[in-house]
Amino acid sequence: MKTIGIIYKPNLEKIAKIFEERLKKERFLVKFVTSTISSTFNGVDVSLIIGGDGTILKTVKKLNSPIIGFKGGRLGFLSSYTTKDLDKFIKDLKENSFVEDRRSLLKVYNKHIEKYCLNDAVAMKEPAQKMVDISVSFKDGEFYFHADGVIVSTPTGSTAYALSLGGSILLPNVNAFEITPIAPQFLATRSVIVPDTEEISVKTNYKILLILDGEIVGNFDFFKIKKSDKQIVLLRPKDYDFSKSIKEKMGYGKNFFTQVR
Amino acid sequence: MKTIGIIYKPNLEKIAKIFEERLKKERFLVKFVTSTISSTFNGVDVSLIIGGDGTILKTVKKLNSPIIGFKGGRLGFLSSYTTKDLDKFIKDLKENSFVEDRRSLLKVYNKHIEKYCLNDAVAMKEPAQKMVDISVSFKDGEFYFHADGVIVSTPTGSTAYALSLGGSILLPNVNAFEITPIAPQFLATRSVIVPDTEEISVKTNYKILLILDGEIVGNFDFFKIKKSDKQIVLLRPKDYDFSKSIKEKMGYGKNFFTQVR
């Protein structure tokens, strides 16, 4: 793990420079330091992404290397360190002391597009459009929603938009997708969890927006979703534990047992 | 598929008798017709259970044969026919035209007990008890709840009590458990979906009720849960589709596309 790239959120240039200097001082080869990724970067052993989950989402599909996310303040779900953990990170880097956290991408396609996303595919009406009739079908069944839209998310995306709409939290290693309606009529509000071996078809009665990882890709009334062979690799410190992110970000309980154990 | 047992909910004795007569007329061997199961029944190719999901839950663990559920009115999640489908059922039975729907049981154990359940293990304070501190831990993490209790459910149980508490709907073939807090403090209300390869430990700061498939088994402050090797086999008509039960029972959308397709 010798050659390193750094990608930073524009307002975090200062921190990126601190990282660059420190890494050089520690005799690592920093091949690029950039805030704009326009094409696939290659030729580094690892890419450091300095920014939040949004910055990671935007850049990670363009990178071929494993990535390590650094977030200001508290941890994000995709970040492995906060920007204050530089010393600890340098130590882990020297000892190559990481665990691989592999996340699968979704493939979203129809006859016009073939795209990939890490968190979710959101099919959603535009504000001026009427509510839409949606069919979500797969080998083992079909559901219908009269709603503003529907989200199909990976376990990674289950803590993103789907969670805001009432979805469950899927641990990253659950082999499933989560289907969550957006503002459905008729109380059909629950998420449906389906095996990730299913190929999901989404059909609507007119064209609505298709948004992948927050990026609008067009207006469609039909597309399919399946698990892709493509994965991204997040490097995590060895003591990383997904449930910590949940507890930190969501106040998901605290350890009441410290006094009684 | 020649020898048949019939178990019925006490208030459905009349229907059980109609089933028995018809089966005998069609030259099947009816080995027992009973409303009380006190020990394991053996020696039949299939057991018909006339009653709702509750009757099936109560009896299925005592049976060694595949089962077919018959419910009055609408379908339950575990029933395969309504009691009005006798003709269709006889036809399917003669042609042996069923699909096997296998459901795994949970094993729930500590040093005092070893029990099995199909839907869920519910750990819950008694009404006069104070809220309880709960730790739910497994290899990949640990969550804490200050709550009235917690439910660990199978995909089968995801449409039972967990659903009433805001959980998601897991298709039967998802390899996961659902952990759902009961009346938690601090807004930690979402279900957490974990792979069914995990062994889950539930620890509480004093003894509360442990309820398996609706049956109280004792008061404990510690127990473990894992997927059991034991499965039950539900026989379904070939056109059965789980999403139909959801749509029928929960008004989960209707097909708006009938006019436009």
Side-chain angles (χ1 to χ4, degrees), chain B residues 8 28 69-70 93 134 155-156 196 251 253:
Chain B
Y8 59 91
F28 290 97
F70 295 82
L93 186 66
I134 307 169
T156 305
D196 66 4

Side-chain angles (χ1 to χ4, degrees), chain A residues 142 163 168 190 247 252, chain B residues 142 163 168-169 190 247 252:
Chain A
E142 180 166 17
L163 195 70
S168 294
R190 299 307 170 81
K247 283 177 276 197
Y252 215 82
Chain B
E142 180 165 18
L163 195 71
S168 295
I169 298 163
R190 298 308 170 79
K247 284 176 278 198
Y252 215 82

Side-chain angles (χ1 to χ4, degrees), chain A:
Chain A
M1 198 87 60
K2 289 289 168 200
T3 62
I4 292 171
I6 299 177
I7 299 116
Y8 58 91
K9 196 176 169 185
N11 65 337
L12 298 175
E13 186 171 3
K14 235 176 177 168
I15 292 171
K17 293 291 177 207
I18 293 170
F19 271 62
E20 183 186 10
E21 275 164 38
R22 177 70 183 274
L23 285 163
K24 284 179 173 167
K25 202 178 131 197
E26 304 280 353
R27 299 179 185 256
F28 291 97
L29 182 63
V30 179
K31 285 195 79 171
F32 59 83
V33 183
T34 176
S35 67
T36 51
I37 302 222
S38 51
S39 64
T40 302
F41 280 78
N42 283 300
V44 295
D45 296 324
V46 63
S47 304
L48 314 187
I49 302 184
I50 298 171
D53 283 357
T55 309
I56 295 176
L57 269 185
K58 261 182 238 156
T59 53
V60 70
K61 281 167 281 180
K62 296 175 184 160
L63 297 167
N64 288 331
S65 70
I67 67 142
I68 303 177
F70 295 82
K71 190 174 174 302
R74 300 188 301 176
L75 280 180
F77 287 112
L78 299 174
S79 55
S80 297
Y81 297 87
T82 70
T83 51
K84 293 188 173 166
D85 296 331
L86 183 52
D87 288 339
K88 162 118 174 62
F89 163 64
I90 294 289
K91 186 171 177 292
D92 290 346
L93 187 65
K94 283 179 173 173
E95 295 167 3
N96 199 10
S97 174
F98 300 106
V99 285
E100 286 191 356
D101 181 356
R102 292 182 171 270
R103 306 290 179 101
S104 291
L105 301 181
L106 290 180
K107 178 178 168 180
V108 184
Y109 64 103
N110 59 23
K111 59 186 171 182
H112 306 291
I113 55 158
E114 182 184 309
K115 298 270 188 184
Y116 296 84
C117 58
L118 173 60
N119 262 354
D120 47 30
V122 177
M124 196 179 192
K125 77 178 190 67
E126 302 200 53
Q129 285 181 307
K130 283 192 304 182
M131 287 180 83
V132 62
D133 295 337
I134 306 169
S135 144
V136 179
S137 61
F138 38 92
K139 186 169 65 40
D140 282 345
E142 180 166 17
F143 292 102
Y144 310 103
F145 304 101
H146 187 56
D148 283 359
V150 71
I151 302 173
V152 179
S153 51
T154 61
T156 305
S158 73
T159 52
Y161 194 18
L163 195 70
S164 308
L165 292 161
S168 294
I169 297 164
L170 277 69
L171 292 205
N173 52 349
V174 174
N175 296 317
F177 302 135
E178 186 175 32
I179 300 167
T180 307
I182 305 171
Q185 226 176 20
F186 302 133
L187 310 181
T189 60
R190 299 307 170 81
S191 294
V192 178
I193 317 288
V194 305
D196 67 3
T197 48
E198 293 276 8
E199 183 168 34
I200 298 171
S201 294
V202 176
K203 187 152 58 167
T204 54
N205 63 339
Y206 44 79
K207 289 181 181 177
I208 59 175
L209 289 173
L210 175 61
I211 305 168
L212 304 183
D213 287 345
E215 218 170 289
I216 294 176
V217 299
N219 293 69
F220 302 103
D221 57 9
F222 178 75
F223 59 91
K224 287 185 166 193
I225 297 174
K226 66 175 182 181
K227 186 177 175 175
S228 149
D229 295 333
K230 295 190 190 188
Q231 291 187 321
I232 62 142
V233 181
L234 303 167
L235 297 185
R236 305 283 199 180
K238 285 206 165 144
D239 63 350
Y240 176 79
D241 159 357
F242 174 77
S243 72
K244 279 185 200 155
S245 311
I246 298 288
K247 283 177 276 197
E248 242 188 65
K249 283 187 74 95
M250 300 172 55
Y252 215 82
K254 59 177 182 177
N255 188 347
F256 300 95
F257 289 85
T258 43
Q259 292 171 312
V260 293
R261 270 189 216 171

